[in-house]
Structures are given as structure tokens and as C-alpha cells.
């Protein structure tokens, strides 16, 4: 195996990366660094996120930069602000002992005037997002006539995010004799187009097969009916007390609603989607990186370019429409050679997509069963006991209280003390999972029971006088109704449509009057609720969902959790409603 010393890197760079903790090149570094140090040939490198590609292109570029010139010689383009900052920070670490070398990150959401001042002082290396780079070129503040290296990092991501025209514009303003380095996790048609139009006879190297996921990521899928997806998500989380996950959803609305439900049920969760401001996004990511959140619910666009280590699970709440997107999602875990788990929660009709994914990734997926309530409870208890056993004791501080504590507990024998000790933490979870249903579905079922194919006349639509202005979302409405003492156990809900000052709620026809009686006169956030049948409404055909009663109340707060997150937006939504017995 090649060592860093054998690659030909300068001593000052070797010293810097040794301090960082680099010991031996990763597979992509071993192939890329010698190539870039010994030839000006363009390069296409296929590598997953977390494989060490920043150093793969960064170290040889830094090694060859003319530090005596203040002209911009290298331009690194990447899809997001977070990744631009991360790359710039990595370059700063690589250049710790390299004199007179300046790296400037440029991206949207920050003062362009400040960035212009930094560029005016001189920057041999610029790291930027396509949109901000285009702005700076048009203002004639970023000059590219002396560019020797252009790096397209996560090229497929940039193209998926709609930066095709920006990339064309930027590359057309760089010298023809530059060396272009294209790094991508997948080789899509658009990536090939960039290669054909802007690269000259590129060498292609790879640390794995094209479009292949990370080597140490295991892939699992669970088959459930659509109405049970959220319950399945909670059981998966509860089976993994130390989970540190990203949950991918298709839409901004679904992302917000799943996050709201998780927070309402006591999980450490928050969300990322396009409706958040940059300040909100930064705050969420700050909490997630510090592990103050265990679960981040995100859309694909919002999660692009995230650079977070040690993610244990990627959970696909929906299979992405573009199967290559699954590669990017699963690449968020199993980084830098670590192990990781990618999970897909699917309906019975989606098993064919799993087969397609197996072909795309060249990997096998394991069909797993959603654990029973008893299994979940056992895992949670074991995790709690292990946490107690590993808790450090401040003997000096507690010593003065021990006589009083011993006296108060003197009438309890060892077994009774243990039972009370455990019950104090676990009465809620024991109650919640008592008599819980098996929510696994047969992969051979003809439908996913998410409401498609139900008969007209099964559901009635109700009008409610509360909406977004009352801080109502579909998730908060479901939680509110679940806790109404008059609500019957077996009530089944369909579509919830939250608007600005009112809402519509579908309810199974036979329970219409029960729901009306429970809602009318109740109090939601200080407002008296009024509910009535929608005039001329009638049920819609298709859509909606029906919900079984077990597991459908609020989850107990999990052991050791820190409640986080919070609702930001309401609005129209399509969710599978919770229903069932109240928990005391």
C-alpha cells in the first residue's frame, strides 16, 4: 500500500496531515494524488461521500499552488454552503505549515461584500457554490483567467439541484488549458454531458463500482401498510436507543409533519426543508452536529452537501422516485470506512423498487420484520440498565445523603426496590406497547392499504373552525383528538386539510357523530372548537387512510432523551391519522 510520503507531497503538507491524524491514504486518495501530481490530464473520480475525496483533490492542488502569486489558481465548486465551509476548513488544516496561501469560501446566505473584500486581498484557492460564484464573476470580482484547476465536487448533486446553467457559465469563463477534476458518487447522463463538453480525454478512476453505495453500509427494508408507516418509524427508533439518523421524506410538508409528530411524541428530532431560513437551517444543523438531536428529518434537496460523521442510520420514509438518489441518501452513513445502516420503509407494492435498487447498487437488501412491542420494551430496558450501570458516582457529594436515603428505603427489599426503580422510568413505555399489534404487511399483498380502493361512502368530511392561525397542523390535530376523553377507541380518520382559519377532517362515516360530539365545545389552544358536517361535501374517492388503534397514541418519552424541535409551518397536508385509545 502506498504511503503519503511516497506520493511526493511536500514536507510541510505531510506535517500538517500527520497532525490531523492521517495515517495511510484511502482508496480514492491512493489513486488520485499520484495522478494529479504527475500529469495535467483531466480526471473523473467516482467516490462516495466520506471516502476522503476532499484530501484526494485538495492535497495535490495545494502541493502545486504558486504561493508567491496572489492570483486565483484553483476553483472548487460544490453544491451547498455547508460543504463549501467544510472544504475551506479542511484546506486551512492542510495548509497549516504552508506560508502565504489563502483559501476563501464564497456562498449565498452571507455578505457578498465581505467575500469581495477577502477576494480583493488575494485568494489562491476559492471554494464556492455555483450561484454565488456566478454573481462574483458577473460583478467582475472573481477573476478566472489564471485558473489552473477546476474541481467539481459532488457534481451529480449540483446538477440534481439545478445548477446546470451556472456550471456552464462558470466553466465557459475558465481557460481551456485548465485541469478539470470531476468528483461524483454516481455517473448520470448530465455528469457525462459535463465531461463530454468541458473535459479533455479524462482519466476515470473509482474507489468502487459506478453508482455503488458505500461498502460497509447494510441495507434493510420493512414492509408495512401505508397507515402504519409512522408507527414503524417509531418502533425502529425505539429498537435503536443510540440512534443518530437522517430520515428522508419526499416533500417539505411531509418532512415538517413527521418532525412535528416525533417531537410531540418525545423524540429528539427536528427538520430541514426549503421553507426554513438560513438562520433556522444553521441552528438545526448546529444542534444535530452536537448530537442534541438524534433524528433529522429532511428532504433530499435540503440534505445535499451535509458533512456529518458517525450517522448510524439513514431511514427512507419513502423510496425516492429517482433510484440514484438512494445512493446519495445511503452515503450519509458508513462514511470513511465506518459501518452504517440504510433502511427503507415500503408498502407491499414497492418491493419491485427494492429489486431495482439491488441492481443499481449491486448489493443485496435484507427484508426485516418490524419488532414487536415486547421486543422494543426489552431493548429499551436493557439500554436503560446499561446506562445506569455506567453512570459515574460522585461518592464524596452523595455520602452525606446516604444515611437519609437508606432510612427512607429501609422497608423495601432488593426486588421491590428494583421494581420501583425500573417502573419509575418505564411504566409509560410498558403501557404503550402492551398488547401492541403486529404491523408487518405481506410483500405479496395487492395493495398497501393506504386508502386506495376504499369504497365511496365510507368517510364523511367535517368542517372545523380552527386552522393555521391557531397553530394547528395535522400532527397537532391528531394528538389533540387522541387525548379527548369522549373520543371512541375505534375511530378511523382519513385526510386532514389544514387551511389558514379553518380545517377539513375526514372521519369514517359510522363514527361521524362520535367525533362531532367529542370536538364540539372542546378547547384547542384557548379557542373553543366548533365542528359540523361539510355542506355539500361528501367523501372524496380514493386518498385518506385508516388507522388501527394500537400503538397510535403518543409515544412515551424515551430514556435519556432531550425533547427538541418544534413546529414551524402548518398548511395543507396529506397524512395518515393516528387514532386509538388514550394513554393515562
Amino acid at each position: 500500500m502506498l504511503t503519503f510520503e511516497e506520493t511526493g507531497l511536500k514536507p510541510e503538507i505531510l506535517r500538517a496531515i500527520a497532525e490531523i491524524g492521517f495515517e495511510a491514504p484511502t482508496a480514492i486518495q491512493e489513486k488520485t494524488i499520484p495522478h494529479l501530481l504527475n500529469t495535467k490530464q483531466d480526471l473523473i473520480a467516482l467516490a462516495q461521500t466520506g471516502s476522503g475525496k476532499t484530501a484526494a483533490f485538495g492535497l495535490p492542488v495545494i502541493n502545486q499552488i504558486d504561493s508567491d502569486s496572489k492570483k486565483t489558481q484553483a476553483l472548487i465548486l460544490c453544491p451547498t454552503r455547508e460543504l463549501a465551509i467544510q472544504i475551506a476548513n479542511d484546506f486551512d488544516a492542510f495548509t497549516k505549515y504552508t506560508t502565504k496561501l489563502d483559501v476563501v469560501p464564497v456562498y449565498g446566505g452571507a455578505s457578498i461584500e465581505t467575500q469581495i473584500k477577502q477576494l480583493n486581498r488575494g485568494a489562491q484557492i476559492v471554494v464556492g457554490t455555483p450561484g454565488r460564484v456566478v454573481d462574483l464573476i458577473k460583478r467582475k470580482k472573481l477573476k478566472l483567467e489564471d485558473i489552473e484547476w477546476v474541481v467539481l465536487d459532488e457534481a451529480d448533486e449540483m446538477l440534481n439541484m439545478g445548477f446546470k446553467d451556472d456550471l456552464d457559465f462558470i466553466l465557459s469563463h475558465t481557460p481551456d488549458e485548465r485541469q478539470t477534476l470531476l468528483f461524483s458518487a454516481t455517473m448520470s447522463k448530465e455528469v457525462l454531458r459535463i465531461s463530454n463538453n468541458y473535459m479533455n480525454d479524462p482519466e476515470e478512476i473509482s474507489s468502487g463500482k459506478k453508482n455503488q453505495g458505500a461498502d460497509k453500509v447494510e441495507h434493510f427494508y420493512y414492509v408495512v401498510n401505508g397507515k402504519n408507516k409512522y408507527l414503524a418509524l417509531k418502533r425502529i427508533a425505539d429498537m435503536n436507543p443510540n440512534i443518530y439518523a437522517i430520515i428522508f421524506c419526499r416533500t417539505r410538508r411531509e418532512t415538517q409533519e413527521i418532525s412535528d409528530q416525533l417531537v410531540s411524541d418525545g423524540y429528539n428530532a427536528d427538520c430541514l426543508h426549503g421553507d426554513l431560513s438560513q438562520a433556522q437551517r444553521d441552528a438545526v444543523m448546529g444542534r444535530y452536529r452536537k448530537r442534541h438531536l438524534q433524528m433529522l428529518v429532511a428532504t433530499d434537496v435540503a440534505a445535499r452537501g451535509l458533512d456529518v460523521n458517525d450517522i448510524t442510520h439513514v431511514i427512507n420514509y419513502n423510496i425516492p422516485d429517482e433510484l440514484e438518489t438512494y445512493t446519495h441518501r445511503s452515503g450519509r452513513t458508513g462514511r470513511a470506512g465506518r459501518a452504517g445502516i440504510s433502511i427503507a420503509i415500503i408498502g407491499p407494492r414497492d418491493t419491485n423498487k427494492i429489486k431495482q435498487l439491488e441492481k443499481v447498487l449491486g448489493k443485496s437488501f435484507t427484508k426485516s420484520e418490524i419488532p414487536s412491542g415486547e421486543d422494543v420494551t426489552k431493548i429499551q430496558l436493557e439500554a436503560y440498565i446499561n446506562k445506569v450501570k455506567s453512570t459515574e458516582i460522585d461518592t464524596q457529594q452523595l455520602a452525606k445523603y446516604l444515611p437519609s436515603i437508606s432510612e427512607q428505603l429501609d422497608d423495601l427489599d432488593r426486588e421491590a426496590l428494583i421494581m420501583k426503580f425500573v417502573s419509575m422510568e418505564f411504566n409509560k413505555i410498558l403501557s404503550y406497547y402492551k398488547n401492541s399489534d403486529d404491523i408487518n404487511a405481506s410483500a405479496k399483498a395487492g395493495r398497501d392499504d393506504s386508502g386506495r380502493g376504499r369504497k365511496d361512502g365510507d368517510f364523511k368530511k367535517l368542517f372545523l373552525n380552527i386552522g393555521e392561525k391557531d397553530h394547528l397542523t395535522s400532527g397537532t390535530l391528531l394528538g389533540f383528538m387522541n387525548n379527548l376523553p369522549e373520543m371512541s377507541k375505534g375511530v378511523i380518520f382519513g385526510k386532514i386539510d389544514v387551511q389558514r382559519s379553518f380545517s377539513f377532517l375526514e372521519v369514517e362515516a359510522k363514527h361521524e357523530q362520535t367525533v362531532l360530539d367529542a370536538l364540539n365545545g372542546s378547547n384547542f389552544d384557548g379557542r373553543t372548537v366548533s365542528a359540523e358536517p361539510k355542506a355539500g361535501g361528501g367523501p372524496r374517492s380514493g386518498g385518506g387512510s385508516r388507522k388501527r388503534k394500537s400503538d397510535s397514541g403518543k409515544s412515551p418519552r424515551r430514556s435519556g432523551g432531550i425533547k427538541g424541535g418544534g413546529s414551524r409551518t402548518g398548511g395543507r397536508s396529506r397524512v395518515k391519522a393516528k387514532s386509538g385509545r388514550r394513554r393515562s
Side-chain angles (χ1 to χ4, degrees):
M1 177 183 289
L2 192 70
T3 65
F4 281 113
E5 288 76 11
E6 293 170 333
T7 61
L9 292 171
K10 294 177 180 177
E12 56 267 31
I13 296 177
L14 294 173
R15 180 183 175 191
I17 63 176
E19 286 190 6
I20 297 171
F22 286 18
E23 296 178 356
T26 64
I28 196 66
Q29 291 165 1
E30 188 173 4
K31 295 177 181 180
T32 302
I33 294 174
H35 174 92
L36 298 181
L37 289 178
N38 294 298
T39 177
K40 287 296 183 181
Q41 184 182 12
D42 291 349
L43 177 70
I44 296 174
L46 298 176
Q48 296 298 314
T49 300
S51 59
K53 52 190 175 63
T54 300
F57 62 75
L59 297 178
V61 167
I62 290 168
N63 198 83
Q64 300 174 81
I65 288 284
D66 180 4
S67 59
D68 291 327
S69 171
K70 285 293 184 180
K71 293 178 179 179
T72 301
Q73 301 161 52
L75 174 64
I76 291 88
L77 296 171
C78 57
T80 65
R81 157 196 176 114
E82 287 81 9
L83 187 54
I85 294 171
Q86 181 63 49
I87 292 172
N89 288 339
D90 288 344
F91 273 46
D92 285 339
F94 299 158
T95 60
K96 181 177 180 179
Y97 298 107
T98 304
T99 58
K100 299 185 292 184
L101 196 59
D102 293 304
V103 181
V104 173
V106 295
Y107 46 81
S111 170
I112 194 169
E113 298 302 328
T114 300
Q115 293 171 0
I116 288 172
K117 289 178 181 177
Q118 292 175 313
L119 293 174
N120 288 338
R121 288 196 293 266
Q124 292 96 341
I125 301 173
V126 172
V127 186
T129 54
R132 179 51 58 92
V133 169
V134 168
D135 286 345
L136 291 166
I137 293 172
K138 289 181 176 179
R139 293 183 184 216
K140 302 188 185 302
K141 300 301 180 183
L142 177 56
K143 299 175 182 179
L144 304 181
E145 59 266 21
D146 295 298
I147 288 290
E148 295 186 41
W149 297 274
V150 173
V151 180
L152 306 178
D153 189 20
E154 299 202 5
D156 48 353
E157 295 275 18
M158 288 191 283
L159 292 166
N160 288 338
M161 292 173 71
F163 287 130
K164 172 183 172 294
D165 292 340
D166 288 343
L167 293 178
D168 287 341
F169 178 85
I170 295 166
L171 292 171
S172 69
H173 282 71
T174 57
D176 292 338
E177 59 271 18
R178 69 179 185 271
Q179 186 176 26
T180 303
L181 318 175
L182 189 154
F183 284 74
S184 181
T186 61
M187 184 56 75
S188 65
K189 291 181 180 178
E190 281 300 312
V191 172
L192 283 173
R193 186 193 68 82
I194 290 287
S195 169
N196 293 334
N197 291 349
Y198 295 103
M199 302 182 77
N200 181 26
D201 188 28
E203 174 78 8
E204 184 176 317
I205 64 175
S206 174
S207 60
K209 296 179 181 178
K210 289 183 181 180
N211 302 327
Q212 185 180 41
D215 290 337
K216 293 190 177 181
V217 174
E218 295 182 87
H219 300 267
F220 298 88
Y221 69 98
Y222 298 87
V223 183
V224 298
N225 290 327
K227 62 185 180 182
N228 290 325
K229 266 194 173 183
Y230 181 68
L231 301 183
L233 174 64
K234 291 196 295 184
R235 287 205 197 174
I236 290 168
D238 288 343
M239 275 293 287
N240 297 277
N242 296 317
I243 192 170
Y244 183 45
I246 295 181
I247 301 163
F248 282 101
C249 297
R250 278 201 185 101
T251 65
R252 299 175 184 180
R253 185 73 64 202
E254 185 178 55
T255 299
Q256 184 70 56
E257 289 182 347
I258 296 301
S259 172
D260 287 348
Q261 286 180 314
L262 287 170
V263 171
S264 177
D265 288 343
Y267 295 86
N268 317 335
D270 211 330
C271 61
L272 277 185
H273 54 68
D275 288 339
L276 303 186
S277 68
Q278 190 61 55
Q280 288 174 318
R281 180 186 173 92
D282 289 345
V284 172
M285 284 309 303
R287 294 171 62 215
Y288 187 59
R289 286 195 173 96
K290 293 175 182 176
R291 288 180 174 259
H292 295 168
L293 300 174
Q294 283 187 290
M295 290 183 282
L296 181 67
V297 191
T299 59
D300 290 298
V301 171
R304 282 171 179 156
L306 295 186
D307 188 20
V308 179
N309 292 322
D310 301 323
I311 291 173
T312 61
H313 293 73
V314 167
I315 300 175
N316 296 270
Y317 197 75
N318 307 102
I319 293 287
D321 294 326
E322 297 292 333
L323 297 183
E324 283 185 353
T325 301
Y326 181 92
T327 303
H328 293 290
R329 290 182 176 184
S330 61
R332 302 298 170 196
T333 185
R335 292 163 59 89
R338 299 182 182 90
I341 294 173
S342 182
I343 290 171
I345 305 174
I346 67 170
R349 306 175 94 181
D350 292 330
T351 51
N352 62 316
K353 291 185 178 180
I354 296 297
K355 294 177 182 178
Q356 293 173 33
L357 282 171
E358 288 180 324
K359 291 180 180 178
V360 170
L361 272 71
K363 291 180 176 293
S364 296
F365 282 57
T366 302
K367 182 180 182 296
S368 296
E369 297 289 308
I370 296 293
S372 67
E374 185 176 348
D375 290 337
V376 172
T377 303
K378 182 179 179 181
I379 289 291
Q380 286 281 312
L381 281 167
E382 289 177 352
Y384 179 64
I385 296 303
N386 287 333
K387 184 177 179 180
V388 170
K389 289 172 66 176
S390 63
T391 299
E392 294 185 5
I393 301 173
D394 189 339
T395 307
Q396 186 174 357
Q397 289 292 324
L398 288 176
K400 57 185 176 183
Y401 300 110
L402 282 177
S404 175
I405 294 171
S406 298
E407 182 180 347
Q408 293 183 58
L409 298 177
D410 189 54
D411 59 328
L412 296 175
D413 60 25
R414 182 176 182 273
E415 184 174 342
L417 185 60
I418 292 174
M419 293 289 284
K420 286 182 177 291
F421 167 73
V422 173
S423 296
M424 184 176 175
E425 180 69 27
F426 276 93
N427 273 348
K428 287 183 179 180
I429 200 166
L430 289 168
S431 174
Y432 177 71
Y433 279 116
K434 183 180 180 181
N435 300 324
S436 57
D437 291 338
D438 178 3
I439 60 175
N440 292 284
S442 169
K444 297 180 181 179
R447 48 179 272 202
D448 68 0
D449 204 19
S450 60
R452 289 188 293 272
R454 79 181 187 200
K455 294 180 180 179
D456 290 348
D458 286 347
F459 283 72
K460 296 291 186 180
K461 184 176 287 188
L462 308 183
F463 171 87
L464 280 64
N465 68 330
I466 51 176
E468 289 179 5
K469 66 182 180 63
D470 303 298
H471 311 293
L472 185 73
T473 68
S474 58
T476 57
L477 177 57
L478 290 171
F480 171 67
M481 290 188 297
N482 284 335
N483 287 315
L484 290 174
E486 300 85 358
M487 193 65 71
S488 172
K489 289 183 179 180
V491 176
I492 296 173
F493 299 111
K495 181 186 175 186
I496 296 175
D497 184 355
V498 180
Q499 300 191 19
R500 176 61 187 164
S501 57
F502 59 89
S503 303
F504 293 110
L505 166 67
E506 282 188 348
V507 60
E508 196 178 19
K510 66 181 180 180
H511 290 298
E512 179 184 18
Q513 194 57 50
T514 299
V515 175
L516 288 170
D517 292 342
L519 284 172
N520 275 310
S522 62
N523 187 289
F524 180 85
D525 200 23
R527 178 144 187 226
T528 301
V529 177
S530 172
E532 60 187 51
K534 182 180 181 295
R540 33 179 202 99
S541 59
S545 64
R546 287 177 286 178
K547 197 81 172 173
R548 284 190 306 214
K549 69 186 181 71
S550 80
D551 274 5
S552 56
K554 268 191 171 183
S555 287
R557 183 165 171 170
R558 294 162 59 234
S559 169
I562 304 172
K563 189 171 179 179
S567 174
R568 291 191 185 84
T569 62
R572 296 175 61 87
S573 56
R574 293 173 180 264
V575 298
K576 301 340 184 248
K578 295 188 291 182
S579 65
R581 59 177 176 79
R582 294 187 301 114
R583 297 193 346 270
S584 58

